[in-house]
Amino acid sequence: MKGGLAMLEVKDLHIHFHDADAAHDAVKGISFTVPDGEIVGLVGESGSGKSITAMAVCGLLPRHRASLSGEVMLNGKNLLTIPRSELRAMQGSDITVVFQEPMVSLDPCMKIGPQVEEALLLHTDLGDEERKARALKAMADADLPDPERLYNKYPHELSGGMLQRCMIAAAIISDPQLLLCDEPTTALDVTIQAEILKLLQRINKEKGTSILFISHNLNVVKKLCTSILVMHKGLLVERGTPEEIFNHPREEYTKRLIAAIPSRTRKIRDMVDAERAAADKTAPDGNALVGNAPDGNAPGGNAQGISAETGNLQG
Amino acid sequence: MKKKTNFYLLLGSIISGIMTLLILVGFVWTPYSTTKMNASAKYARPSLAHLFGCDNLGRDIFSRILEGAGTSFLIAVTVVAIGLAGGIIIGSLTGYFGGIADEIMMRICDAITAFPSFLLALVIVAVAGGGKFTITWVLGILFIPGFSRIVRSSVAKLRDMNYVKNAKLKGIPDWRIMFLHILPNTFHVILETVIIAFNNAILAEASMSYLGIGVQPPEASLGRMLSESQKLLQNAPFYMLFTGLTIVLLILGYSLLGEGLQHRSNERGTRNA
Amino acid sequence: MNHTSDNYANINTGNSTDHSAAHSAEAAAESPAATRAFPFFGHGDDTPVSPEGLTLKVEHLNAYYTSGGPFSKKRRQQVLHDVSFEIHEGEILGLVGESGTGKTTLARAILGLLQDYDGTIINYSKRPQMIFQDPYSSLNPAHTIGWSLEEALRYSGQEYTKESRRERAFWLLDKVGLLRDHYDRKPDFLSGGQRQRVCIAQALAQIQRPQLIIADEAVSALDVTIQAQILHLLYELKEEFGLSFLFISHDLNVVYQLCDRVLVMKKGEIVEQNTVDELFANPKEEYTKQLLKAAE
């Protein structure tokens, strides 16, 4: 496996939003790398800053709404400071994106084919025939059945899973160095999800494309990624391989996150019974708030913390 | 980066605020009587005594403008009120229930809108006889389709929201959902429409009065005064100047206000997205 | 295309004579809350509730959807095929299946929103409630939380004075773990989890035994840690009030955690129906196995 050489290097990234009544630091100084040929997962809940980071990495954060500092190095260039024209040249060829909602990522008035080859239209000077050939190949690589026929169809004629594959085809057609996926499977059915993940793995293996995979779903990330970064409230709280993160989480937040993943090992009723039994043993503190987080921990400690959480605005 | 000042809102508020204040004052007091003729002051130039000068009958122009503006204002307010009331009722019912009634109602509104409304108003008023009461109700009715459409589209957009479905599941009656649950959420859109309609109403009244079918003499009316001032351009050019300026400022002030509000709700929209 | 029986049978006096079908011992075991006292609402402490209490009964339901507006050719498709199942009091029934399999149609049929069907739907729950997937469109942004709760209370059929209604609203907020401060606030700054709590409070406002609540992907849009809290809340409320849930979800693991029994739907049909433990241990249908594998 290729390794060592970093494809993407993010150093001390700070992102601050100027919204008059909600100015805040979305990202508070994070650093990480995506090594060449690897799949890195960036996980976090809403408000963690993972999507903002993703947008910053592909240069899609409007510069007048946010101020960014730090470095985002791709191919030796700092994407945050290079001139717009250079950035535009890289977007769609060196770095491509697959978004969450395939239904709205594609133009409903254009056929599929031209949209898949659009990147080639913008970044190369290939002729029509060549572009179409490349598009068909990309669509085949993305596991789309009968690309010739799909080429001339409109987005509304395809299912969510097929559309997402078209997006992936459009993203890999220019053989990017970095493929950024922002929750690409969240809007899809569970069986389709599994197929898309396999597809991404194959692309990574066959073409050596590095992938930065953003998700809130730890299970998905566990299956796909070679290393995982956990974000919480704008900070990178933990990083490691899936094995390390799942079996030996170090940080409190990571542990909570993992404990909260629905799994087939614990039933809610058992957890509630356990909580009740434990609460009965300790002195009741009169705090009757329901819905405490399940982690089977010793009583007392967490009850206070969680109930404070449900009470205030971050609940 | 600092917050962008909403210039439209600022300027609009100032201008329309001043104008509205003057109009309100004018309802209770004007420097001079607006009807008393004073031969000695005929065509008096603007001075401290007569701010805007006097017209061909020696009447103080400033006072007449105040009264004229006041009349225009009242008529516009009434017209908008009629349009709004009708529009809310029709728009809510059709937007909420949809169906055949909705289709029919909307086609009627389309038909009314298809006419150059001004010509339509002219015809009706000419037939019914001029005068400020006539033009008020005619314009009011002509404004209803516009309001209906806006209210209808807002209500139709919101009727599929989950909180509406929730309300239905709780057994809350339709009328209550329409007026207490949905309508309050259309407030911003309606407000903008009201401002725009107000503008149009002022303009419409002024135009009709200019043509002689609106407010009748000796009552002062901005449109009528504009028409008179045309003939007196040689002797009292300031007459036309000030009258025109007043109309412009009135419309400008409220237009800017309307723009400013639209900008602000766009801002809010993107922020909450 | 006819309704062969009533949509709603007001059988909520809790007398066992009104509950027709025979039920397994499982039903009795599943509703330990059935005999709990029930304050404020409906029946009071002295009305016994049958441990075999049925909340919903659906038999051989076929539903149809007609597409095409007033100017195009209409097409009538069958979207639900021979659906039969029951929900008992105090039971959480899961409903899984991929998108487009008819889960939402089934929910609408149960709520009485469907016209074109044949088969039997007996809803013993007088006013079934629903918790929607998107927390951000479920609360009226123009009004405070307190107002929304009081609206539900106003039409609950219970008489309230101004003060008692307010008290009741506070009680509801307490039950779902929200601070009373939220009463005077608009939903603007509430998080997804908090919003769902408000929705749950609203669903409880008109509670009458038996009470059916349909949770349509109610936790799918929430962060995983919050999801866990809400699942806990649903379970605890179920225990306290003897609620019945139809829990629609695409996430089999969540279904495992929360539900007692589960229906697997594919293309408008129920392909498998079992207790959760059984289904996960011994899935019979190929489709079920596929879903289980994909959710690992």
Side-chain angles (χ1 to χ4, degrees):
Chain A
M1 199 69 238
K2 309 171 202 147
L5 201 61
M7 176 54 53
L8 176 76
E9 242 189 287
V10 174
K11 287 190 199 143
D12 200 31
L13 180 64
H14 282 265
I15 303 180
H16 174 84
F17 279 98
H18 314 297
D19 251 6
D21 45 38
H24 67 289
D25 292 308
V27 177
K28 303 175 191 158
I30 62 173
S31 308
F32 64 91
T33 63
V34 177
D36 192 12
E38 305 234 339
I39 307 182
V40 172
L42 183 56
V43 294
E45 298 184 303
S46 40
S48 58
K50 61 184 194 303
S51 294
I52 304 288
T53 306
M55 291 298 103
V57 163
C58 52
L60 287 177
L61 263 190
R63 287 178 182 176
H64 64 273
R65 283 249 321 250
S67 55
L68 304 97
S69 70
E71 295 177 359
V72 175
M73 310 295 293
L74 186 72
N75 280 346
K77 297 189 193 160
N78 184 354
L79 299 179
L80 299 181
T81 54
I82 54 174
R84 267 222 105 79
S85 51
E86 264 190 76
L87 184 61
R88 296 300 259 149
M90 291 179 80
Q91 290 171 332
S93 64
D94 296 310
I95 174 170
T96 56
V97 191
V98 176
F99 293 103
Q100 177 173 344
E101 293 268 4
M103 307 285 180
V104 302
S105 302
L106 291 167
D107 188 333
C109 304
M110 271 172 74
K111 292 188 183 163
I112 296 286
Q115 297 195 55
V116 171
E117 23 173 87
E118 206 163 15
L120 295 180
L121 186 64
L122 293 168
H123 297 287
T124 66
D125 42 14
L126 295 174
D128 288 345
E129 286 302 315
E130 286 180 71
R131 278 205 314 273
K132 179 164 178 179
R134 287 270 297 262
L136 294 175
K137 177 161 186 311
M139 285 164 79
D141 284 341
D143 286 342
L144 282 164
D146 202 356
E148 275 281 356
R149 201 176 53 101
L150 286 182
Y151 188 92
N152 287 315
K153 285 204 177 275
Y154 285 92
H156 69 264
E157 298 176 79
L158 305 183
S159 69
M162 304 264 266
L163 284 178
Q164 200 61 303
R165 286 183 218 273
C166 294
M167 288 299 299
I168 293 176
I172 59 177
I173 195 172
S174 39
D175 239 339
Q177 293 169 320
L178 180 65
L179 174 61
L180 203 146
C181 301
D182 191 358
E183 309 260 17
T185 56
T186 309
L188 304 173
D189 283 330
V190 135
T191 44
I192 312 290
Q193 254 185 42
E195 292 172 14
I196 299 286
L197 293 179
K198 284 209 194 78
L199 171 62
L200 289 173
Q201 267 175 333
R202 226 194 62 222
I203 291 174
N204 165 258
K205 204 179 288 187
E206 285 174 11
K207 295 176 188 276
T209 317
S210 316
I211 300 181
L212 179 60
F213 191 94
I214 321 279
S215 179
H216 65 276
N217 188 333
L218 267 170
N219 275 335
V220 162
V221 163
K222 178 164 84 164
K223 284 187 228 179
L224 180 70
C225 306
T226 47
S227 76
I228 300 180
L229 306 164
V230 180
M231 271 186 88
H232 179 55
K233 294 209 171 94
L235 292 166
L236 210 47
V237 296
E238 192 159 349
R239 64 186 87 204
T241 65
E243 205 274 334
E244 286 165 11
I245 299 274
F246 276 78
N247 297 336
H248 314 288
R250 285 187 302 270
E251 298 296 318
E252 233 359 89
Y253 175 71
T254 319
K255 291 182 190 166
R256 249 194 314 134
L257 203 57
I258 293 178
I261 299 175
S263 86
R264 302 183 205 175
T265 54
R266 285 172 309 216
K267 289 224 181 240
I268 301 275
R269 65 164 164 258
D270 297 331
M271 292 193 265
V272 170
D273 286 342
E275 263 169 46
R276 279 211 195 113
D280 283 341
K281 286 205 210 102
T282 63
D285 59 7
N287 203 343
L289 288 177
V290 300
N292 291 322
D295 48 15
N297 276 356
N302 271 333
Q304 308 297 40
I306 303 300
S307 53
E309 225 183 63
T310 53
N312 67 22
L313 290 176
Q314 274 87 45
Chain B
M1 215 156 288
K2 58 174 165 51
K3 175 181 169 186
K4 267 177 71 174
T5 336
N6 195 340
F7 280 118
Y8 293 102
L9 197 58
L10 191 61
L11 211 54
S13 309
I14 294 178
I15 297 180
S16 60
I18 295 178
M19 300 302 286
T20 314
L21 197 60
L22 286 174
I23 289 173
L24 289 175
V25 165
F27 282 134
V28 291
W29 172 84
T30 54
Y32 293 85
S33 154
T34 56
T35 45
K36 184 148 151 246
M37 303 181 228
N38 186 351
S40 60
K42 199 160 133 164
Y43 298 134
R45 309 239 99 178
S47 62
L48 274 175
H50 292 277
L51 271 176
F52 289 173
C54 293
D55 65 6
N56 58 329
L57 295 176
R59 297 177 293 194
D60 177 40
I61 293 177
F62 182 61
S63 307
R64 297 209 83 212
I65 282 183
L66 270 187
E67 181 182 300
T71 314
S72 299
F73 186 82
L74 274 180
I75 294 179
V77 165
T78 316
V79 165
V80 167
I82 297 174
L84 186 63
I88 285 185
I89 295 178
I90 297 180
S92 305
L93 288 172
T94 51
Y96 188 78
F97 292 110
I100 295 289
D102 179 23
E103 293 284 333
I104 295 178
M105 213 60 227
M106 280 305 111
R107 300 295 84 79
I108 295 178
C109 287
D110 284 346
I112 298 181
T113 322
F115 280 93
S117 56
F118 192 63
L119 293 182
L120 189 60
L122 276 184
V123 167
I124 298 179
V125 169
V127 162
K132 65 180 181 185
F133 289 110
T134 315
I135 63 170
T136 305
W137 66 257
V138 167
L139 283 175
I141 293 185
L142 286 179
F143 272 45
I144 291 182
F147 274 107
S148 301
R149 172 163 295 130
I150 302 270
V151 173
R152 175 197 173 274
S153 68
S154 298
V155 169
K157 203 165 56 154
L158 294 177
R159 76 166 171 218
D160 290 322
M161 293 295 275
N162 282 342
Y163 61 80
V164 173
K165 291 185 189 165
N166 241 332
K168 289 189 188 169
L169 284 175
K170 309 278 187 288
I172 299 178
D174 285 323
W175 64 263
R176 200 177 171 93
I177 297 182
M178 253 197 291
F179 292 115
L180 293 187
H181 289 239
I182 297 185
L183 223 44
N185 283 297
T186 60
F187 177 66
H188 284 295
V189 177
I190 291 185
L191 184 62
E192 287 162 17
T193 316
V194 161
I195 305 249
I196 295 172
F198 183 78
N199 265 350
N200 292 340
I202 298 235
L203 212 44
E205 181 274 327
S207 314
M208 289 193 187
S209 300
Y210 178 89
L211 293 175
I213 53 175
V215 176
Q216 299 298 324
E219 252 191 280
S221 143
L222 294 176
R224 187 156 192 89
M225 287 163 73
L226 202 60
S227 151
E228 287 169 0
S229 66
Q230 268 187 284
K231 304 174 210 130
L232 306 174
L233 202 51
Q234 288 272 0
N235 298 323
F238 41 83
Y239 192 177
M240 177 181 270
L241 180 69
F242 288 120
T243 314
L245 200 62
T246 310
I247 299 181
V248 165
L249 280 179
L250 254 183
I251 306 248
L252 189 67
Y254 289 110
S255 291
L256 286 177
L257 192 63
E259 276 284 319
L261 284 176
Q262 268 192 340
H263 279 221
R264 193 172 71 161
S265 66
N266 286 345
E267 273 275 314
R268 274 230 192 88
T270 48
R271 220 180 280 152
N272 288 341
Chain C
M1 215 163 108
N2 323 327
H3 308 195
T4 54
S5 76
D6 296 341
N7 266 348
Y8 295 107
N10 282 345
I11 315 183
N12 50 4
T13 54
N15 294 329
S16 50
T17 48
D18 280 330
H19 296 153
S20 42
H23 301 297
S24 55
E26 159 190 350
E30 295 292 326
S31 30
T35 49
R36 241 182 250 197
F38 203 75
F40 280 90
F41 275 113
H43 319 290
D45 290 357
D46 46 22
T47 313
V49 179
S50 162
E52 302 183 294
L54 246 197
T55 306
L56 176 73
K57 185 173 166 127
V58 174
E59 272 176 344
H60 305 299
L61 175 68
N62 295 302
Y64 308 90
Y65 172 67
T66 312
S67 57
F71 301 110
S72 51
K73 199 163 95 169
K74 297 203 210 244
R75 253 181 42 189
R76 190 169 180 247
Q77 293 169 296
Q78 185 164 7
V79 288
L80 290 176
H81 302 258
D82 198 27
V83 169
S84 301
F85 65 93
E86 291 171 352
I87 307 184
H88 306 122
E89 275 194 76
E91 177 177 36
I92 305 184
L93 178 66
L95 176 57
V96 296
E98 299 183 310
S99 42
T101 50
K103 299 179 294 198
T104 315
T105 312
L106 182 56
R108 300 184 71 222
I110 295 171
L111 293 173
L113 296 174
L114 222 56
Q115 262 80 40
D116 194 359
Y117 72 91
D118 57 76
T120 314
I121 303 177
I122 307 182
N123 211 327
Y124 296 95
S125 173
K126 198 159 169 201
R127 226 179 234 168
Q129 297 294 321
M130 183 134 147
I131 312 211
F132 297 91
Q133 176 173 7
D134 179 17
Y136 288 91
S137 57
S138 301
L139 296 180
N140 195 327
H143 293 289
T144 60
I145 306 283
W147 187 90
S148 295
L149 284 175
E150 291 205 9
E151 278 292 286
L153 290 171
R154 211 183 290 264
Y155 287 89
S156 63
Q158 277 269 321
E159 287 298 319
Y160 286 105
T161 64
K162 202 152 161 253
E163 292 76 30
S164 70
R165 194 165 47 224
R166 196 179 159 92
E167 269 314 302
R168 191 62 171 169
F170 283 136
W171 179 85
L172 288 169
L173 284 175
D174 289 340
K175 280 292 158 197
V176 297
L178 286 173
L179 293 180
R180 292 186 171 196
D181 309 1
H182 290 304
Y183 184 91
D184 288 313
R185 286 205 192 119
K186 291 216 182 130
D188 305 354
F189 291 105
L190 290 188
S191 69
Q194 286 172 321
R195 282 166 188 260
Q196 290 299 55
R197 287 180 199 262
V198 175
C199 291
I200 295 171
Q202 286 181 324
L204 287 179
Q206 302 190 332
I207 190 172
Q208 284 199 31
R209 295 277 296 261
Q211 178 67 50
L212 174 67
I213 298 184
I214 303 182
D216 189 356
E217 304 274 7
V219 297
S220 307
L222 303 176
D223 283 333
V224 127
T225 45
I226 309 297
Q227 207 179 78
Q229 292 179 7
I230 300 293
L231 292 175
H232 264 52
L233 177 63
L234 291 177
Y235 180 79
E236 288 177 3
L237 291 174
K238 178 213 81 154
E239 288 281 285
E240 182 171 353
F241 296 108
L243 304 169
S244 309
F245 279 95
L246 177 63
F247 191 84
I248 304 178
S249 178
H250 66 277
D251 190 339
L252 272 164
N253 297 325
V254 170
V255 166
Y256 178 85
Q257 288 198 305
L258 186 66
C259 305
D260 304 312
R261 278 173 43 235
V262 58
L263 309 171
V264 180
M265 254 184 116
K266 182 181 180 184
K267 293 210 177 87
E269 271 188 77
I270 298 187
V271 298
E272 194 165 346
Q273 205 182 136
N274 216 331
T275 62
V276 160
D277 291 328
E278 260 306 295
L279 192 102
F280 275 68
N282 304 310
K284 297 199 185 65
E285 296 295 318
E286 200 40 53
Y287 184 62
T288 316
K289 294 182 190 167
Q290 264 183 3
L291 287 181
L292 285 170
K293 184 138 198 328
E296 248 150 46

